[in-house]
Amino acid sequence: MPKRGLKEAETDQWLKLSRGVASALSGYMESNNLSRADLATELGVSQQYISRVLSGTVNFSFKSIAKIEAALGVNCIEPVNFSREQKSSRI
């Protein structure tokens, strides 16, 4: 079996992070009894964008994540642990 390339590993990593944002927003919606339309209104974006975000396949910029977090008062991505004691797959 051939080794996976860096490009595939990068894609896997940002998809994992995108799914994490989608999960955080789904949890926020559920906790606050919000529809996709409600969330779109809170964020000032279209319902189509919310649908894309919730699909877990959006390649976010840090700026867009920061806007979401600021608007909702939530953390969408987990903090990075830079401890050398725990080996992590993060780069």
Side-chain angles (χ1 to χ4, degrees):
M1 183 182 295
K3 285 188 175 183
R4 291 173 39 92
L6 181 58
K7 191 79 165 166
E8 290 86 4
E10 286 176 2
T11 299
D12 288 349
Q13 187 61 28
W14 74 254
L15 281 170
K16 178 182 171 185
L17 294 169
S18 184
R19 284 187 217 103
V21 172
S23 178
L25 292 179
S26 291
Y28 178 85
M29 290 170 60
E30 187 175 322
S31 295
N32 293 284
N33 198 28
L34 298 175
S35 67
R36 290 177 182 213
D38 296 330
L39 184 62
T41 299
E42 284 196 27
L43 293 175
V45 298
S46 69
Q47 290 183 47
Q48 292 82 5
Y49 179 71
I50 295 301
S51 292
R52 285 186 43 235
V53 167
L54 294 176
S55 75
T57 58
V58 173
N59 189 357
F60 292 99
S61 68
F62 288 119
K63 185 176 181 178
S64 61
I65 291 173
K67 283 181 179 182
I68 292 169
E69 290 182 338
L72 303 179
V74 299
N75 289 322
C76 291
I77 56 175
E78 62 187 68
V80 176
N81 180 357
F82 289 108
S83 171
R84 289 183 178 208
E85 294 173 10
Q86 286 186 339
K87 187 172 181 170
S88 174
S89 62
R90 290 189 177 202
I91 296 176

